[in-house]
Amino acid sequence: MTFLARRFIAGETKEEAFQAVRVLNGLGMRTTLDILGENVTSREMACNLADSYINIIDSIAEAGITANVSLKLTQMGLDVSDESCYENVRRIIKAAAARRNFVRVDMEGSNYTERTLRLVHKWAEKYDNVGAVIQAMLYRSEPDIIELNRRGIRVRLCKGAYKEPPSVAFVKKDDVNKNYVKLMKLLLDNGLYHSMATHDDAMISMTKEYAALKGIPKDRYEFQMLYGINRSAQAHLAREGHGVLIYVPFGKHWFPYYYRRLRERKENIIFLARHLLRG
Ligand code: FDA
């Protein structure tokens, strides 16, 4: 793993990830663990990965750490078939329910949005420990949130990390931010325990202000951030008494996640280029 990847990824093993979780828990933050991997095309591999998630859920309980899990449906066989993906994730959600734990279904590129939400709706009909992710960059997100609210499904709101065409998504950062604020209000007004996933100071301030204006207490929502990004803001929010959850990715298949983190911020690319040039 390259030195810059280590900033964003807790390590390649479960032990390294748990060590990172213990440090974050010690700072008053909850965590969600992501076993890195996506776009699995073998039914058997997807099934084995589901077993790995069940193993992690058991290990979390045995280790006494505060962590739930996040997973991607293309890792669970969505490219193989909806049916096998449904069954793999159902097993994970069931195992998590037995441990009173929670499963968050990450959101991938827009060509998967409809199927992902349809499956989340289906799991949520049977289990109440599954949540969705909504991307503020997509035009469709407002009606999607209204439907998730109606079904009582918890939402993580993020801006969206995938490159999308203007036919489905806002292109300008300003428009994404405006939509983020609009959707944040829709979530806070709903009263379920929803999550605002962002490192953007403006989005965080507006969330705090709106919650204060509406008299929504700090224990009715949380902020989420990614491992290694804006650590001082993470600690600051926790010290203020806000719920803070850190997304802790680990595993051998780290490159696509790392690439998205690099692409998000040109300073990361410049930093990496300088380091490589220095040899
Ligand atoms: P923005 O990109 O405007 O960044 C605000 C500030 O944060 C920057 O100015 C910089 O200081 C810091 N920052 C942001 N990204 C950085 C980086 N890569 N390196 C260094 N500093 C950085 N997306 C998705 O499509 N599906 C998903 O399921 C998820 N899940 C998810 C979970 C959690 C907990 C978080 C926090 C984010 C996601 N995302 C995601 C990613 C999300 O969509 C988005 O790409 C990033 O969070 C960056 O957007 P910000 O809201 O931070 O704002």
Side-chain angles (χ1 to χ4, degrees), residues 107 135 156 159-161 173 198-199 261 264-265 268:
M107 189 55 81
Q135 298 155 326
R156 170 201 294 155
K159 289 190 187 178
K173 240 178 161 255
T198 181
H199 316 92
R261 299 293 81 77
E264 246 155 29
R265 203 162 171 251
N268 290 343

Side-chain angles (χ1 to χ4, degrees), residues 13-15 17-18 33-35 49-63 65 67-70 99 101 250:
T13 66
K14 178 170 90 178
E15 288 68 31
F18 277 29
L33 284 166
D34 168 24
I35 308 178
L49 282 161
D51 291 341
S52 303
Y53 264 101
I54 293 170
N55 174 275
I56 286 288
I57 288 163
D58 290 341
S59 303
I60 288 170
E62 283 150 19
I65 53 177
N68 60 41
V69 295
S70 290
R99 299 284 196 175
N101 210 331
F250 75 98

Side-chain angles (χ1 to χ4, degrees), residues 3 9 12 37 67 78 88 91-92 104 120 125 127 131 144 153 156 190 195 200 204 213 251:
F3 80 104
I9 294 147
E12 293 195 346
L78 193 60
N88 283 333
R91 288 196 295 119
I92 299 171
R104 178 77 62 179
V120 171
E125 281 164 13
Y127 302 97
D144 284 341
I153 299 173
R156 170 201 294 155
N190 165 259
S195 310
D200 186 335
I204 293 168
L213 181 75

Side-chain angles (χ1 to χ4, degrees), residues 202-220:
M203 301 300 113
I204 293 168
S205 299
M206 280 189 257
T207 303
K208 287 186 199 169
E209 279 163 24
Y210 190 71
L213 181 75
K214 292 291 184 120
I216 300 164
K218 286 177 186 157
D219 63 0
R220 293 308 308 144

Side-chain angles (χ1 to χ4, degrees), residues 255-273:
F255 192 76
Y257 177 89
Y258 172 59
Y259 178 70
R260 283 195 291 279
R261 299 293 81 77
L262 283 184
R263 225 194 47 186
E264 246 155 29
R265 203 162 171 251
K266 69 173 183 309
E267 286 87 338
N268 290 343
I269 310 261
I270 296 167
F271 184 69
L272 180 64

